Amino acid sequence: MTPPSIVVQWPRIGPYHLARLRAAHALVTARGGTLTALETAGYDSVYAWDQETAAEPFDRTQVFPDATFESLAPQAIIRGVTEALDRLNPDAVVI
């Protein structure tokens, strides 16, 4: 059996998401799998979070790194996230 590849998708990753992703990564990799964080946008207009740029133990992909989430058209989000998921080709997606 091939180890599972899992993608966790959020509109924007904040500091508390990173703690959850680190814990999930530890659990998944202990079982031989991989975990990738898929972030829709680099910014949002709701939270005043700084961009989290520190190295993490998991892979991280931003679909629209220079965009504000709320400024993106729904069809652009659908297209961008779908294209990213097609490239990543995970066994499971956590939303």
Side-chain angles (χ1 to χ4, degrees):
M1 176 181 230
T2 304
S5 62
I6 299 171
V7 167
V8 178
Q9 197 279 327
W10 266 296
R12 175 145 185 255
I13 294 173
Y16 67 93
H17 297 116
L18 292 172
R20 294 172 181 170
L21 287 165
R22 288 180 200 117
H25 173 264
L27 183 68
V28 170
T29 57
R31 289 161 175 77
T34 61
L35 182 123
T36 300
L38 178 60
E39 184 174 23
T40 305
Y43 302 93
D44 68 77
S45 60
V46 177
Y47 301 102
W49 295 327
D50 292 331
Q51 277 207 342
E52 299 289 339
T53 58
E56 295 293 344
F58 50 86
D59 290 331
R60 184 172 173 184
T61 299
Q62 285 185 321
V63 180
F64 301 100
D66 299 321
T68 300
F69 180 78
E70 292 79 9
S71 72
L72 295 166
Q75 290 301 336
I77 293 171
I78 291 166
R79 185 178 56 254
V81 171
T82 299
E83 289 173 0
L85 288 170
D86 285 345
R87 276 192 317 276
L88 295 168
N89 194 27
D91 296 309
V93 179
V94 178
I95 298 175

